[in-house]
């Protein structure tokens, strides 16, 4: 039974700086995590951000279920481009033969 997205599908490596919140000096990020295995796809899709506004995203990232990447996190994509996480979804299906993963839509 498959319990997580297979590693061989995660062909790219990204860096993630988890969003911690806003301060008087602007957004605050956690410690940068390098070389996170992921599958990065260039995609143009409308998604709702955490305030409910419709935003056009330009990248979809699929990673293992342990990825910590709340909306607002800063990501460095394989091509060197910096993106911001707009939405994060944990996909799980306990007891079913489908992989668990984290999906992040970025702007």
């Amino acid at each position: 039974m498959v319990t997580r997205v297979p590693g061989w599908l995660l062909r790219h490596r990204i860096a993630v700086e988890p969003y911690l919140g806003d301060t008087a000096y602007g957004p605050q990020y956690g410690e940068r995590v390098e070389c996170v295995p992921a599958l990065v796809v260039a995609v143009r899709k409308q998604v709702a951000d955490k305030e409910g506004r419709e935003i056009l995203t330009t990248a979809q990232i699929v990673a293992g279920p342990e990825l910590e990447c709340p909306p607002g996190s800063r990501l460095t994509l394989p091509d060197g481009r910096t993106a911001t996480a707009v939405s994060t979804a944990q996909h799980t299906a306990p007891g079913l033969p489908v992989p668990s993963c984290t999906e992040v839509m970025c702007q």
Side-chain angles (χ1 to χ4, degrees):
M1 179 180 297
V2 177
T3 58
R4 56 178 289 124
V5 64
W8 58 269
L9 285 176
L10 307 177
R11 309 293 260 182
H12 302 112
R13 296 297 176 263
I14 62 171
V16 179
E17 295 172 78
Y19 177 72
L20 300 177
D22 286 324
T23 69
Y25 303 103
Q28 182 178 5
Y29 299 96
E31 188 173 329
R32 182 181 174 97
V33 180
E34 299 279 348
C35 295
V36 176
L39 178 64
V40 180
V41 179
V43 62
R44 297 178 61 83
K45 183 177 178 181
Q46 291 262 20
V47 299
D49 69 4
K50 60 185 175 186
E51 280 100 33
R53 295 177 299 204
E54 290 289 318
I55 294 184
L56 182 64
T57 59
T58 56
Q60 176 186 33
I61 296 170
V62 175
E66 68 283 346
L67 179 65
E68 293 292 330
C69 185
S73 296
R74 204 165 33 196
L75 299 102
T76 303
L77 304 180
D79 63 3
R81 182 170 54 110
T82 301
T84 302
V86 174
S87 68
T88 302
Q90 299 287 332
H91 298 292
T92 62
L96 296 177
V98 295
S100 296
C101 66
T102 300
E103 176 188 41
V104 181
M105 298 302 293
C106 300
Q107 168 182 30

